[in-house]
Amino acid sequence: MATNRTFTMLKPDSVKNGYIGAILEKINAAGFRIAAMKMTQMTVADAQAFYAVHSERPFFGELVEFMSSGPIVAAILEKNNAVEDFRVLIGATNPADAAEGTIRKLYATSMGENAVHGSDSDENAAIEGAFHFAGREMF
Ligand code: IDP
Ligand code: MG
């Protein structure tokens, strides 16, 4: 089952800018089933733990500050080839490089405030989903 699931966050910029509905519409239209979803806010410690893999990168402090700055919408999405297909749907990390029609091209404002997270592997999708959701919150 894990191979058909990915994890996403609509980042604080998406929530603040009123794009929750528009982004969920894109996700729905692309054929993903929502297996879990909630609005939540990460603490600084949560964001440090979630992004621990990036702790040595120069942008880590900025990333943690931004990701804990306001509410997000966390979700687990299900579809065949979910991880790869969702990365295509969201587009490149830097919205300036993102393909036309992708979520980041449409809704991101910068490399840091880039609208959405998408897991980069099946293994990380499972880890990230479990970070945010209890078993009884996944359907
Ligand atoms: P991804 O989200 O496309 O997988 P990653 O390289 O995993 O990109 O980086 C995680 C997040 O860190 C990005 O989505 C973005 O918010 C932030 N980030 C990455 N590179 C930079 C940068 O050079 N400056 C500021 N923020 C960055
Ligand atoms: Mg990544």
Side-chain angles (χ1 to χ4, degrees):
M1 180 178 285
T3 58
N4 290 335
R5 289 185 171 203
T6 191
F7 172 78
T8 188
M9 295 181 285
L10 311 194
K11 295 186 177 185
D13 58 321
S14 294
V15 174
K16 204 176 315 168
N17 293 331
Y19 294 145
I20 295 174
I23 293 172
L24 291 180
E25 190 66 44
K26 296 281 290 180
I27 290 170
N28 196 42
F32 290 89
R33 185 185 78 81
I34 295 168
M37 185 161 66
K38 67 178 161 196
M39 184 179 272
T40 183
Q41 182 165 353
M42 289 195 282
T43 64
V44 167
D46 288 334
Q48 285 171 336
F50 186 90
Y51 283 111
V53 66
H54 293 309
S55 62
E56 301 305 317
R57 309 280 283 277
F59 57 83
F60 184 65
E62 182 189 335
L63 174 61
V64 166
E65 186 183 353
F66 169 59
M67 288 303 296
S68 60
S69 70
I72 61 165
V73 175
I76 295 172
L77 305 175
E78 189 174 83
K79 180 185 186 296
N80 286 339
N81 205 36
V83 166
E84 201 176 314
D85 287 4
F86 193 69
R87 296 291 307 200
V88 172
L89 180 66
I90 69 179
T93 307
N94 186 344
D97 300 329
E100 288 299 327
T102 60
I103 290 173
R104 282 170 167 167
K105 180 70 172 187
L106 289 165
Y107 302 113
T109 48
S110 68
M111 181 87 156
E113 306 203 2
N114 61 1
V116 283
H117 169 82
S119 302
D120 62 9
S121 67
D122 292 340
E123 186 190 7
N124 284 336
I127 292 168
E128 292 169 0
F131 184 94
H132 281 278
F133 294 100
R136 68 179 181 281
E137 297 175 310
M138 303 184 212
F139 300 92

